[in-house]
Amino acid sequence: MKITKLTTYIVPPRWLFLKVETDEGIVGWGEPVVEGRALTVQAAVHELEDYIIGKDPFLIEDHWNVMYRGGFYRGGAVHMSAISGIDQALWDIKGKALGQPVHSLLGGRVRDKIKVYSWIGGDRPADVANNAKDVVDRGFKAIKLNGCEEMQIVDSYHKVEKAVETIATIREAVGPYIGIGVDFHGRVHKPMAKVLAKELDPYKLMFIEEPVLSENKEALRDIVNHTGTPIALGERLYSRWDFKEVLSDGFVDIIQPDLSHAGGITECRKIAAMAEAYDVALAPHCPLGPIALAACLQVDAVSYNAFIQEQSLGIHYNKSNDILDYISNKDVFQYADGFVSIPQGPGLGVEVDEAYVIERAKEGHRWRNPIWRHEDGSFAEW
């Protein structure tokens, strides 16, 4: 079997799909994208195709090394996301060719299902409190929300109190045993992160996510001394080398690699195993489409330390299309009692509706995240 062609589709709401074809007619799908940089990643995918056209798709580990190391310059969001989508598609091909789900080829699943959480509301916490109970009533046992608005490096206690009030309202609405993840989204710098983490402790959170930007990870040393809440980090780390120091420093309790950003199934399987050696939990980041979610579930299935999975069904970003729109086997993601079942079909387990993908690609997208500014006019992290 030889790889013959790579085709990319930019589709709403903010996704990029990849189709990898072979001379035996077996097709694999991947989801290589950086949200807001889809065109750039698309170009990177087609640059990388020079390394794999005409090659055996089964040699996934070798292809990964060539794509990562072969261009001399390596790493970063765009390069690693392009590799991620190709890697997902190659695993999809191999599984389909052998009639096995990817997790079977990775050693076999250790679980039948995994807990999932649902995103609540929009970018500003004032929008979210009224929605939390509805989501729990639909069966979810865990939720996540943005924990604060834009916050300067040293800011007022008024903003701290607003954030705390929102979380307190949600905790009261959903009761004491629903998991609440609070995402600081890298909006908070070390001085205020210490304050917020301490003030939120009474609400028994499932985790605090990205309390500071990943590039400021040394600040975690001080933050963990102000809270008993687990710290989660990792959506803006792109390889096992990026995670190495985070794990060895010992200040993170949960890692969140994104299988569309951090090298795909091949790399994230290794990152998960590294984390297990440090007794750190795995909760893959995935506010993306159905192919990315299916890839995450393959790694969740074989990773002992995986405990919860992000998913984007109904997320506020999915305004024109949602994750089930692009697949024909819409029952593949079986949600029940706050869990989703591990797909059992060959490859990634999703059957992409190619005709619909082609139709929606005619519209495409040019999604960009909002640009925020502080009261003084300076740029604010979104």
Side-chain angles (χ1 to χ4, degrees):
M1 192 189 304
K2 303 296 181 187
I3 299 167
T4 57
K5 186 178 181 182
L6 277 68
T7 307
T8 49
Y9 302 96
I10 293 179
V11 296
R14 54 177 193 162
W15 303 333
L16 172 65
F17 293 166
L18 165 67
K19 175 186 175 186
V20 177
E21 299 178 58
T22 69
D23 60 357
E24 293 189 12
I26 298 176
V27 170
W29 289 87
E31 195 167 333
V33 70
V34 174
E35 299 92 306
R37 299 291 182 268
L39 288 166
T40 314
V41 178
Q42 181 182 48
V45 167
H46 291 295
E47 289 179 331
L48 290 174
E49 72 183 3
D50 296 346
Y51 298 111
I52 63 171
I53 293 290
K55 303 293 176 61
D56 180 353
F58 275 29
L59 303 179
I60 298 172
E61 188 74 31
D62 186 62
H63 295 323
W64 197 99
N65 278 298
V66 169
M67 290 188 293
Y68 178 75
R69 304 175 193 274
F72 186 76
Y73 300 101
R74 61 195 65 174
V78 171
H79 182 205
M80 296 304 290
S81 296
I83 291 175
S84 297
I86 295 171
D87 181 83
Q88 293 167 7
L90 296 181
W91 278 108
D92 196 27
I93 290 170
K94 193 166 190 173
K96 289 173 178 174
L98 298 175
Q100 293 291 323
V102 169
H103 56 76
S104 179
L105 306 182
L106 295 174
R109 68 186 189 274
V110 300
R111 57 177 52 83
D112 301 318
K113 59 185 179 179
I114 190 166
K115 187 182 288 188
V116 289
Y117 63 78
S118 178
W119 261 93
I120 301 296
D123 288 315
R124 300 194 180 268
D127 301 331
V128 304
N130 292 332
N131 300 326
K133 192 172 185 303
D134 291 339
V135 169
V136 172
D137 289 344
R138 295 205 307 269
F140 285 94
K141 296 179 180 179
I143 59 176
K144 188 173 84 172
L145 68 148
N146 284 320
C148 62
E149 300 177 0
E150 62 271 36
M151 190 168 284
Q152 287 187 298
I153 189 166
V154 176
D155 214 318
S156 71
Y157 268 83
H158 175 62
K159 287 190 177 179
V160 173
E161 289 166 1
K162 284 179 65 178
V164 171
E165 181 182 5
T166 299
I167 302 304
T169 302
I170 290 173
R171 174 53 78 200
E172 183 178 0
V174 301
Y177 304 122
I178 296 297
I180 300 176
V182 174
D183 189 355
F184 285 11
H185 220 243
R187 296 170 182 172
V188 187
H189 299 268
K190 175 182 171 181
M192 301 309 297
K194 293 193 296 183
V195 173
L196 267 175
K198 183 177 180 180
E199 293 293 324
L200 291 174
D201 242 7
Y203 302 100
K204 299 179 180 178
L205 303 179
M206 180 171 60
F207 57 75
I208 291 173
E209 179 174 337
E210 270 199 328
V212 291
L213 290 166
S214 297
E215 54 261 39
N216 297 328
K217 57 184 177 294
E218 68 281 351
L220 296 173
R221 179 184 59 249
D222 294 330
I223 295 168
V224 296
N225 291 325
H226 286 75
T227 181
T229 302
I231 300 296
L233 188 76
E235 69 186 70
R236 286 187 266 195
L237 300 175
Y238 308 112
S239 71
R240 75 197 91 147
W241 297 280
D242 287 350
F243 278 94
K244 180 169 62 173
E245 188 177 351
V246 168
L247 291 170
S248 64
D249 283 349
F251 302 131
V252 171
D253 305 292
I254 303 162
I255 58 161
Q256 300 170 302
D258 189 309
L259 271 82
S260 284
H261 300 333
I265 291 169
T266 298
E267 185 72 349
C268 288
R269 174 77 165 112
K270 296 173 182 177
I271 293 167
M274 288 172 60
E276 185 181 348
Y278 285 93
D279 207 21
V280 169
L282 173 71
H285 180 256
C286 189
L288 295 171
I291 304 168
L293 178 57
C296 287
L297 293 173
Q298 306 301 322
V299 173
D300 290 330
V302 299
S303 300
Y304 174 78
N305 52 336
F307 82 102
I308 199 164
Q309 176 60 56
E310 180 174 26
Q311 53 84 46
S312 74
L313 186 65
I315 197 172
H316 50 292
Y317 300 122
N318 298 352
K319 293 180 179 178
S320 54
N321 283 102
D322 216 325
I323 63 172
L324 300 182
D325 297 343
Y326 290 104
I327 55 176
S328 54
N329 59 334
K330 299 183 188 302
D331 60 346
V332 63
F333 303 124
Q334 296 183 29
Y335 293 89
D337 300 322
F339 289 79
V340 65
S341 296
I342 303 298
Q344 298 302 315
L348 295 179
V350 291
E351 298 170 8
V352 175
D353 185 344
E354 186 174 356
Y356 188 72
V357 169
I358 292 170
E359 179 63 29
R360 296 302 289 142
K362 294 175 184 176
E363 176 179 323
H365 69 82
R366 198 175 176 86
W367 186 86
R368 297 290 184 269
N369 61 255
I371 299 298
W372 287 0
R373 292 191 179 274
H374 295 297
E375 189 176 1
D376 63 6
S378 62
F379 177 83
E381 293 283 353
W382 172 74

